[in-house]
Amino acid sequence: MRWRSCSRVAVAHFRAGQRVRARNINPVSHTRLPRYARGKIGVIERDHGVFEFPDTSAQGLPDKPQHVYSVRFAARELWGEQASPQDSVYIDMWDDYLEPA
């Protein structure tokens, strides 16, 4: 995935190792927040830095720079007990997609 990098400063709301919940939102416009991850708990693995938020860019709104994190979700958190307990899914998520768990 290629993001539009941003030289502006934005506050990091999360840090590596922190448990987070993907917000359970259902916007009528563009979002890159996968529906299967909404409301699920994961762990911040890495902060990729500051990038433009694509949800606002897609609507022609002013830039909204924010941090992008790699969030690790246990496969069982996403798909239940039938998923392998050893498997994880990593999703890159912007600040606006996350809340503290």
Side-chain angles (χ1 to χ4, degrees), residues 54-96:
D55 294 31
T56 54
S57 296
Q59 297 176 53
L61 298 172
D63 290 340
K64 187 176 183 184
Q66 52 188 265
H67 284 257
V68 176
Y69 309 93
S70 180
V71 182
R72 178 178 47 83
F73 292 90
R76 286 192 168 183
E77 173 71 8
L78 299 176
W79 295 297
E81 293 300 312
Q82 70 273 16
S84 170
Q86 294 89 0
D87 291 346
S88 295
V89 175
Y90 292 80
I91 304 173
D92 293 327
M93 305 178 104
W94 278 259
D95 269 318
D96 277 8

Side-chain angles (χ1 to χ4, degrees), residues 19-61:
R19 285 172 36 99
V20 293
R21 181 182 313 276
R23 293 179 59 217
N24 191 6
I25 59 173
N26 295 292
V28 296
S29 60
H30 173 81
T31 186
R32 289 192 179 172
L33 175 56
R35 193 169 300 277
Y36 63 84
R38 296 175 193 179
K40 306 297 184 177
I41 294 175
V43 176
I44 301 288
E45 289 292 318
R46 179 179 178 197
D47 183 340
H48 290 290
V50 178
F51 295 86
E52 297 300 337
F53 187 47
D55 294 31
T56 54
S57 296
Q59 297 176 53
L61 298 172

